[in-house]
Amino acid sequence: METIAARALAARKYAGMTQKQAEAASGVKQSNISKIERGDTGRSMALLALARAYRVDPNWLDTGDGPAPWDPPQPGTARDNASEPPGAYRVTRTPPSGPSFNPGTPGTVPLIAWTQVASWKGAAQGTIQAERWLPCVAHHSPGNTYALRVRGDSMTAPSGHLKSYPAESIIFVDTQRTTPEDGERIIARLDASNEVTFKVFKQEDGRRWLLPLNPKHEPIRSAFTVLGTVVGKWEDED
């Protein structure tokens, strides 16, 4: 399919949704969905929200590259492979250079410190101390999502086939999503030490563990609690 319009229409039909149902699932107005399917509008953040609602690869919906929703699944990979499952994560941008948004601006989330993560109660709970407020790159739970600067190199991938999260890059964490799929990136609290960490969530045969992208770091196989799932990140456009 050569156009966004054709892919958007096909994805909605494959998902078994009417435009009104797609509006309810994605938050994108029905009039905008209609415009996209007619080809009256170009690329926009609405595509990411629709990809999440239709459960399709956002890169395929936007560009035509990647697996279509009706393509057969790929064979399973090794148990410590960090390849993430299909999802609505794949949009990244360069963040604004300064605090351009007032606290609580609709569509933005607070950039908080690691010391705040374990006790995070949501943006609706009192005053949020934030470095700044950023527009989130992905569909997220309002009031329950925050941004966080990555620390350390455990999530820096050794090669380009995986998303890499070098120190100081900014990730967006949806705290409503505490039942991640195998391969999703999460924020977790280690039960024994209460340490908060950013890792890949892995599960197999009832076992759960945390996997770093950097092979210099060891997997964590002790008990942990999922605090939220990473739904996107900012990265510089080189």
Side-chain angles (χ1 to χ4, degrees), residues 53-129:
Y54 301 155
R55 300 187 66 83
V56 302
D57 184 331
N59 191 49
W60 170 83
L61 186 60
D62 184 24
T63 68
D65 294 331
W70 46 80
D71 287 344
Q74 297 299 312
T77 54
R79 59 192 298 273
D80 272 352
N81 188 293
S83 295
E84 58 193 343
Y89 175 93
R90 294 183 170 85
V91 171
T92 58
R93 296 180 184 171
T94 301
S97 57
S100 305
F101 298 89
N102 293 325
T105 300
T108 66
V109 299
L111 175 60
I112 67 173
W114 278 86
T115 53
Q116 298 173 264
V117 171
S119 59
W120 172 261
K121 300 296 184 182
Q125 304 293 322
T127 302
I128 301 299
Q129 294 191 356

Side-chain angles (χ1 to χ4, degrees), residues 3-9 11-12 22 26-29 32-39 41-64 87-91 93 137-139:
T3 65
I4 292 175
R7 290 189 294 273
L9 176 60
R12 177 173 63 79
S26 67
V28 179
K29 291 183 178 180
N32 290 337
I33 295 173
S34 180
K35 287 181 180 179
I36 290 171
E37 293 182 358
R38 293 198 309 266
T41 185
R43 293 182 172 89
S44 72
M45 289 299 292
L47 288 179
L48 186 64
L50 291 174
R52 186 180 183 88
Y54 301 155
R55 300 187 66 83
V56 302
D57 184 331
N59 191 49
W60 170 83
L61 186 60
D62 184 24
T63 68
Y89 175 93
R90 294 183 170 85
V91 171
R93 296 180 184 171
V137 298
H139 183 69

Side-chain angles (χ1 to χ4, degrees), residues 79 81-85 155 178-188 198-204 206-213 224-226 228-229:
R79 59 192 298 273
N81 188 293
S83 295
E84 58 193 343
M155 289 296 283
T178 55
T179 54
E181 297 182 16
D182 179 75
E184 287 192 297
R185 281 63 171 145
I186 67 168
I187 297 296
F198 169 38
K199 295 291 184 291
V200 180
F201 175 78
K202 297 294 296 179
Q203 63 179 351
E204 182 181 89
R207 293 172 295 169
R208 309 190 317 163
W209 66 99
L210 300 173
L211 185 68
L213 292 178
F224 61 89
T225 300
V226 178
T229 298

